[in-house]
Amino acid sequence: MIHVPEFHLGKNFLDNGMTKLLITLVLIILAPMIPLYILNISSPIWLPYKSSESRKCDIFRGTWISYQNMPYYNNATCREIFDQQNCMKFGRPDTDFMKWKWKPDKCELPRFDAEQFLELVRGKSMAFVGDSLGRNQMQSLQCLLARVVYPEDIISYTEDKRFKRWFYVNYNFTLASSWAPHLVRTIDTDPNGPTNNRLLNLYLDEADDAWAAQIETYDYVIISAGRWFYGPQVFYENGKVVGCHRCLKNTIKNLTMFYGYRKAFRTSFKTLLSLASFSGVTFLRTLSPAHFENGEWNKGGNCVRTQPVSNGEMKLEGGDLELYLTQVKEFRRAKREGKRRGLDFRLLDISAAMVVRPDGHPNHYGHWPHENVTIADCVHWCLPGPIDTWNELLLQMLKWERH
């Protein structure tokens, strides 16, 4: 808050030119101190900066507007939708969540054009690296492209379905998905334990070979990570324990999840920068917010809204805000280094758009009612749904790369 001192003036003083001059001088002096978000009320105040990816228009700051056209696809026209995000298959009764379009503040975001996208990536390759939200976006992309063509499923790196590649023959375009929720090498200390609460060993200075050993030839890498860092972890550097998060071991230094998160991104970006033959463009897809209401995720929390909320009604806060700021800081660091090396780093900043979309999650419509799944999914996104906007933004960024 900027404090402007009070001026005790005579009643006629306001009418003279000296006062007007004085007020003008004060404003000139104070103007550089005013945060930009005060001057741009449509941007959420938690955002640390105006996106440098905006070129002629900042496509990441805007509002959702009603848009009554049919969605690009449905669960009958796209075979790539995982059941967990197939909300219409499992009986979600409302459709309003599909009838909104992202409108940047000062320009239009074009609708997704599948033929244009495929022409832009002709002869190239693209890999999504990260957790299931990265896969969520990739499946959205596959569904969007299915309006033109389906790919061939080609030999994957391993038989594990979490590591897959697809080939669009007519466009000589390879699409890949690499499962690496922590981005760095991870050892599960209890493979048979509960998925959301078992202790993991994270080697923070070693990129996960699941992606790092395969990525050097790719033209576009879309990297992301988030919610897995909330769990219990022991942190290793140089082969030695340096601390932990929620490990409940008195002999180990207690560090926050943000320490591990920062190091994981730093190692990942450093790995991409150090690959001798890598000449691709790296996109950091920013944190995708969860929207548990009426309780925590494991204590009855759900996401039952059917429409977006207004800008400002919801915002990133707490751990999610700190994760967002951490990844953006590491991205900036990598971008500076990449510029020296001739490598491009781009920010796919979806957080402001998605924080006001609590209506877009599966909730309990990712399974049949009789399956008795008690935990709602307020993390992933229904397909079709607002996540398709991520690929509208990605397409716009690819068009920028060509100009």
Side-chain angles (χ1 to χ4, degrees), residues 129-130 163 178-187 203-215 264 267-268 271:
V129 176
F163 304 88
S178 185
W179 169 260
H182 293 93
L183 302 177
V184 294
R185 184 164 77 93
T186 304
I187 294 178
Y203 294 80
L204 298 176
D205 51 357
E206 301 177 39
D208 190 337
D209 273 345
W211 69 269
Q214 307 289 342
I215 212 70
T267 294
S268 299
T271 298

Side-chain angles (χ1 to χ4, degrees), residues 165-186:
R165 289 182 294 172
W166 296 263
F167 187 57
Y168 291 79
V169 179
N170 293 340
Y171 296 88
N172 189 28
F173 170 55
T174 300
L175 182 65
S177 171
S178 185
W179 169 260
H182 293 93
L183 302 177
V184 294
R185 184 164 77 93
T186 304

Side-chain angles (χ1 to χ4, degrees), residues 316-372:
L316 286 186
E317 54 191 358
D320 276 9
L321 175 57
E322 188 65 26
L323 290 175
Y324 173 85
L325 295 174
T326 298
Q327 63 179 179
V328 168
K329 183 176 181 180
E330 290 305 315
F331 164 82
R332 286 173 162 177
R333 178 189 179 113
K335 187 176 180 70
R336 289 193 298 269
E337 182 60 30
K339 189 174 183 179
R340 287 191 286 269
R341 243 213 72 183
L343 290 175
D344 284 336
F345 284 77
R346 303 295 182 193
L347 193 68
L348 180 53
D349 192 356
I350 57 90
S351 302
M354 303 310 288
V355 76
V356 292
R357 293 305 309 267
D359 57 318
H361 301 288
N363 194 28
H364 286 294
Y365 294 106
H367 53 81
W368 298 115
H370 69 265
E371 294 180 63
N372 196 30

Side-chain angles (χ1 to χ4, degrees), residues 119-158:
E119 286 297 337
L120 286 170
V121 297
R122 182 183 287 275
K124 296 186 180 295
S125 54
M126 176 178 290
F128 286 83
V129 176
D131 58 18
S132 53
L133 280 161
R135 183 182 63 210
N136 203 175
Q137 181 185 2
M138 186 204 66
Q139 289 175 339
S140 161
L141 179 60
Q142 288 178 312
C143 289
L144 292 167
L145 297 179
R147 303 180 74 189
V148 173
V149 65
Y150 266 108
E152 292 183 5
D153 188 356
I154 59 178
I155 299 173
S156 298
Y157 312 139
T158 72

Side-chain angles (χ1 to χ4, degrees), residues 161-323:
K161 291 185 177 180
R162 296 175 300 179
F163 304 88
K164 296 192 68 176
R165 289 182 294 172
W166 296 263
F167 187 57
Y168 291 79
V169 179
N170 293 340
Y171 296 88
N172 189 28
F173 170 55
T174 300
L175 182 65
S177 171
S178 185
W179 169 260
H182 293 93
L183 302 177
V184 294
R185 184 164 77 93
T186 304
I187 294 178
D188 193 337
T189 63
D190 183 14
N192 297 318
T195 302
N196 297 304
N197 204 38
R198 59 181 181 241
L199 186 64
L200 302 175
N201 292 340
L202 270 57
Y203 294 80
L204 298 176
D205 51 357
E206 301 177 39
D208 190 337
D209 273 345
W211 69 269
Q214 307 289 342
I215 212 70
E216 195 162 7
T217 61
Y218 278 79
D219 297 293
Y220 302 106
V221 178
I222 299 154
I223 193 168
S224 59
R227 315 225 74 81
W228 280 79
F229 283 82
Y230 276 93
Q233 299 145 15
V234 176
F235 301 136
Y236 288 76
E237 293 180 67
N238 296 316
K240 297 180 180 179
V241 174
V242 295
C244 74
H245 168 63
R246 291 183 53 204
C247 69
L248 303 179
K249 295 185 178 182
N250 294 331
T251 57
I252 300 179
K253 182 180 180 180
N254 186 36
L255 295 172
T256 67
M257 64 176 173
F258 312 115
Y259 178 89
Y261 196 66
R262 181 176 69 254
K263 291 282 188 173
F265 271 107
R266 186 170 298 182
T267 294
S268 299
F269 291 144
K270 183 179 179 180
T271 298
L272 290 164
L273 287 163
S274 66
L275 294 172
S277 299
F278 180 68
S279 59
V281 179
T282 301
F283 294 86
L284 168 64
R285 194 267 295 151
T286 60
L287 188 77
S288 174
H291 291 96
F292 290 98
E293 297 185 273
N294 309 309
E296 297 178 23
W297 69 270
N298 58 347
K299 296 180 181 179
N302 56 23
C303 38
V304 298
R305 296 183 188 244
T306 59
Q307 291 187 343
V309 299
S310 59
N311 283 356
E313 187 175 344
M314 288 185 174
K315 62 182 180 180
L316 286 186
E317 54 191 358
D320 276 9
L321 175 57
E322 188 65 26
L323 290 175

Side-chain angles (χ1 to χ4, degrees), residues 137 285 288 350 354 381 387-394:
Q137 181 185 2
R285 194 267 295 151
S288 174
I350 57 90
M354 303 310 288
W381 302 92
I387 192 173
D388 295 321
T389 298
W390 300 10
N391 290 312
E392 292 176 337
L393 295 166
L394 176 61

